[in-house]
Amino acid sequence: MTSRIGVVTFPGTLDDRDSLRAVRLAGAEPVSLWHRDKDLQQVDAVVLAGGFSYGDYLRAGAISRFSPVMETIIDQARSGMPVLGICNGFQILTESHLLPGAMLRNNHLHFICRNQKLRVENAETAWTSDYEQGQEISVPLKNIDGRYVADERVLDELEAEGRVAFRYATGGAAADGYGNPNGSLRDIAGITNAEGNVVGLMPHPEHAVEPLIGTGRTDGLAFFTSIIKKLVTA
């Protein structure tokens, strides 16, 4: 049976169609989910796509966190359903307390859009198993509220428990996509919950699934093939 992966659209979501296409290219059935509907249509996993839901009023993701669909997603995620939050989706996951910490305005106070080098820190989550730990990948990044912050206790817990999923790779020139683009603490680009079913990251893997768009590479496709393999073997 083909796995069904839902992609949520909020008012202001920009990358839902890209995420739906990435799901299809990976071999699963993409399912569009509307933010006002609590029914998840029997999907096996959910992607919270990027964009500027509700115009990022109050804080990025702060209003979307209270959308009816999130009530169901929060409950299902805590029961083990895989959830991926990309950019604004990551912000919604922190606002929902499915992931710890918060996203603040970039330290340089500017919107940034570039191809970004990442280092895979945890290749054992539901969304990262097709990567190798320490692997370097390149995916597009575009945000203005992308600075990940948390108190030292939370940061130490993330490190100790292996819950930093991705870091911004810093081993080269900024012109080549290296370096911390927004001042995120400890170069954190993405994290996971303790169970490994919920992952959030600021860069956009759905824009790196075909050689003719995005980075010109397919480094982001493994997010979507990883979850399909996880669902098939679950």
Side-chain angles (χ1 to χ4, degrees):
M1 181 179 295
T2 303
S3 299
R4 289 166 54 86
I5 300 178
V7 178
V8 181
T9 300
F10 300 91
T13 297
L14 301 178
D15 301 304
D16 45 351
R17 294 191 179 214
D18 304 78
S19 295
L20 289 164
R21 181 170 177 79
V23 168
R24 184 180 297 108
L25 288 172
E29 178 184 350
V31 179
S32 296
L33 301 175
W34 182 237
H35 73 113
R36 292 183 61 85
D37 296 332
K38 291 185 178 182
D39 182 7
L40 297 185
Q41 301 182 41
Q42 298 181 318
V43 299
D44 303 299
V46 167
V47 176
L48 301 177
F52 301 91
S53 61
Y54 289 96
D56 282 350
Y57 291 119
L58 300 183
R59 293 182 308 276
I63 299 177
S64 294
R65 176 260 180 273
F66 293 101
S67 289
V69 73
M70 288 306 300
E71 180 179 334
T72 310
I73 289 173
I74 291 169
D75 181 63
Q76 292 297 308
R78 288 174 175 163
S79 297
M81 186 182 71
V83 179
L84 174 65
I86 303 170
C87 195
N88 189 229
F90 186 12
Q91 295 159 344
I92 294 170
L93 289 177
T94 61
E95 291 288 339
S96 303
H97 304 296
L98 288 174
L99 292 175
M103 311 303 301
L104 299 182
R105 187 62 51 97
N106 296 344
N107 60 344
H108 45 74
L109 303 180
H110 294 288
F111 180 84
I112 186 170
C113 181
R114 73 180 194 181
N115 293 334
Q116 178 67 47
K117 294 289 176 50
L118 302 176
R119 185 173 70 250
V120 180
E121 298 287 347
N122 185 334
E124 298 180 358
T125 79
W127 297 92
T128 60
S129 61
D130 266 0
Y131 293 110
E132 295 182 3
Q133 185 170 345
Q135 181 180 349
E136 187 177 284
I137 64 175
S138 179
V139 297
L141 171 82
K142 48 176 185 174
N143 63 69
I144 193 169
D145 295 302
R147 178 162 56 105
Y148 180 76
V149 298
D151 62 37
E152 287 299 310
R153 178 187 60 81
V154 170
L155 292 170
D156 288 343
E157 285 181 358
L158 292 173
E159 301 279 11
E161 297 173 8
R163 292 170 54 195
V164 176
F166 296 90
R167 292 188 207 272
Y168 296 113
T170 57
D176 296 322
Y178 288 96
N180 186 326
N182 47 38
S184 290
L185 297 181
R186 304 194 189 184
D187 299 326
I188 291 174
I191 61 175
T192 179
N193 65 344
E195 294 74 23
N197 63 302
V198 179
V199 172
L201 78 162
M202 286 309 296
H204 288 261
E206 79 281 13
H207 294 326
V209 296
E210 297 179 276
L212 294 179
I213 62 172
T215 60
R217 298 164 52 160
T218 59
D219 292 5
L221 189 61
F223 277 87
F224 305 95
T225 57
S226 293
I227 190 58
I228 293 172
K229 291 181 180 178
K230 172 68 175 178
L231 295 171
V232 168
T233 59

